[in-house]
Amino acid sequence: MEGVISLKLTPGISFQCSDQLPKFLIRRSSMDLPLRRSNFPAIRAQQVSNNTTTTISMKGGGEEDALKAKEWEVGMYQNELAASQGIRIRRRPPTDPPLHYDGCFEFCLQDEGNTPRNILEEIIWQKDFEVSQMKEMKPLASLKEFIENAPPTRDFVGALKAAHSRTGLPGLIAEVKKASPSRGILRENFDPVEIAQAYEKGGAACLSVLTDEKYFKGSFENLEAIRNAGVKCPLLCKEFVIDAWQIYYARIKGADAILLIAAVLPDLDIRYMVKICKMLGLAALVEVHDEREMDRVLGIEGIELIGINNRNLETFEVDISNTKKLLEGERGQLIRQKDIIVVGESGLFTPDHVAYVQEAGVKAVLVGESIVKQSDPGKGIGGLFGKDISV
Ligand SMILES: O=P(O)(O)OC[C@@H](O)[C@@H](O)c1c[nH]c2ccccc12
């Protein structure tokens, strides 16, 4: 790759550098650059050429460099640890390693490694960015004050068990879901409170409320509004949790349970987050998609609820036989021994589907699309189970 990138740096200093890999040595043009770090503490410039983005920034000083180097190192270590547990999702883009310096310039190259490998990774990177901003606005200490005065949580697991023994069918977690990256908009006239109330009337044991805005068109306001509207069903906050801060936030916004995704979280995070959930009175629904994730989660103490997602969040492929596969043999035995409630998640549309996952061993199901699309989502529940399960 030969070439010369011409960059214009605010405020009005331009220079040229070679974009030859791998060193990106700056070839200062004949221009004499009268630059000193202290003059320009934080200037960045980007130029995209040939699918390659070269980011050039001028750094403020030594201390900041050292901190950044440390952060980068920690990030690398976390990714390695996660990879050793089979986790392919990287927590944040591996950008800005403090690799290449030339005088006051620092270089990094945006190549394949800085592009999310799949939709789940993209969502997680976006979430990492969102959470870091939210945390600045509402630090954990301020959330803790709210929690002291928050009303008690409701028994999510108890509600599922009660529904199961009342109907003889899996307890239903009905999902308030406006859209998804794989299916687009599911319901145009979307009134979260109306849908939640219809679900409750239709016999749902619990509700799941998506709070991700960018990819699922959900929100924490929806969760709060449903809670404040007097809905009695316990509520699952359907979020992509990567930081314990989100669990505290969900608790304040009215959640009784929260989702933890094993494809994203290493064991240590799951252990730590499950403890935080217990402390806050929340149930943790730990979601798995394959045998390796199931085995990891079964090795963690104190887990009461496991969700088996029939949808692969990396490819969007749905296969309800996944629930059966993961409950066969020793795994199923261990789950029964530990008295864990398993939730069959995604892709359930008909009474046959429900019967199939129940036969496989689930005591609860999590359903969105097939019921949220019905003009009356409450009646949709009757259609899903093949009979009226309202009280
Ligand atoms: O709409 P469906 O196919 O009935 O799926 C509901 C639910 O299982 C799905 O929304 C889901 C399961 N796990 C998730 C994790 C994140 C976002 C969404 C999900």
Side-chain angles (χ1 to χ4, degrees), residues 85 87 262 265-267 292-300:
Q85 292 171 17
I87 297 173
L265 300 169
D267 297 359
R292 184 159 185 188
E293 289 169 11
M294 178 64 105
D295 292 340
R296 280 177 47 215
V297 170
L298 287 176
I300 297 175

Side-chain angles (χ1 to χ4, degrees), residues 60 77 97 123 145 150 165 186-187 194 240 248 272-273 299 314 339 374 378-379 381:
Y77 172 70
I123 295 172
E145 276 172 37
S165 43
L186 296 170
R187 189 181 177 93
E194 203 177 83
F240 294 86
Y248 286 84
Y272 168 61
M273 289 177 179
E314 295 179 26
D339 204 19
Q374 307 302 320
K379 293 221 175 80
I381 295 175

Side-chain angles (χ1 to χ4, degrees), residues 10-142:
T10 43
I13 302 151
S14 69
F15 66 95
Q16 293 185 316
C17 72
S18 143
D19 66 347
Q20 265 175 314
L21 297 176
K23 276 209 138 179
F24 333 122
L25 283 175
I26 186 165
R27 255 204 284 117
R28 287 192 187 172
S29 64
S30 50
M31 257 187 302
D32 196 4
L33 296 172
L35 299 173
R36 282 231 238 94
R37 281 175 191 223
S38 52
N39 294 347
F40 304 96
I43 298 173
R44 295 181 75 84
Q46 279 200 335
Q47 169 98 16
V48 183
S49 83
N50 300 336
N51 296 328
T52 299
T53 302
T54 305
T55 302
I56 297 187
S57 59
M58 279 176 46
K59 300 290 295 179
E63 225 171 81
E64 198 187 319
D65 286 357
L67 186 65
K68 198 161 172 203
K70 207 71 240 138
E71 278 172 4
W72 182 73
E73 243 173 65
V74 170
M76 290 301 281
Y77 172 70
Q78 284 172 337
N79 281 340
E80 268 171 40
L81 185 79
S84 74
Q85 292 171 17
I87 297 173
R88 294 174 297 274
I89 304 299
R90 295 163 298 171
R91 193 66 65 87
R92 53 188 67 89
T95 50
D96 291 2
L99 289 178
H100 313 289
Y101 291 100
D102 184 348
C104 53
F105 294 110
E106 170 195 301
F107 297 82
C108 80
L109 182 80
Q110 194 165 355
D111 59 9
E112 202 219 5
N114 303 28
T115 312
R117 293 188 194 123
N118 54 56
I119 182 70
L120 181 57
E121 194 164 77
E122 183 184 326
I123 295 172
I124 295 305
W125 291 4
Q126 170 68 24
K127 197 56 70 184
D128 185 60
F129 173 71
E130 284 170 16
V131 172
S132 63
Q133 286 194 327
M134 296 277 284
K135 275 167 83 171
E136 264 179 45
M137 285 189 295
K138 300 178 206 273
L140 190 59
S142 72

Side-chain angles (χ1 to χ4, degrees), residues 159-160 162-175 198-207 342-345 348-359 362-368 370-372 374 376-391:
L160 290 177
H164 178 58
S165 43
R166 178 175 71 83
T167 61
L169 292 162
L172 172 66
I173 308 171
E175 188 153 277
Y199 281 158
E200 182 161 77
K201 217 168 134 223
C206 299
L207 307 182
V342 177
V343 184
E345 300 180 356
L348 304 173
F349 286 83
T350 66
D352 280 355
H353 290 162
V354 175
Y356 176 81
V357 291
Q358 180 168 21
E359 180 67 17
V362 311
K363 293 206 169 60
V365 287
L366 172 53
V367 183
S370 74
I371 47 178
V372 84
Q374 307 302 320
D376 178 344
K379 293 221 175 80
I381 295 175
L384 173 71
F385 285 98
K387 68 179 207 190
D388 185 358
I389 60 155
S390 62
V391 213

Side-chain angles (χ1 to χ4, degrees), residues 120 123 173-175 177 179-183 186 208 210 212 216 236 238-240 259 261 285 287 308-311 313 318 343-349 365-372 384:
L120 181 57
I123 295 172
I173 308 171
E175 188 153 277
K177 182 179 195 181
S180 74
S182 61
R183 315 294 277 182
L186 296 170
S208 159
L210 276 152
D212 176 77
F216 291 85
L236 170 73
K238 199 62 158 344
E239 209 7 291
F240 294 86
L259 184 77
I261 303 177
L285 173 60
E287 178 175 299
I308 300 181
N309 199 352
N310 296 316
R311 180 177 291 114
L313 290 174
V318 181
V343 184
E345 300 180 356
S346 308
L348 304 173
F349 286 83
V365 287
L366 172 53
V367 183
E369 180 174 349
S370 74
I371 47 178
V372 84
L384 173 71

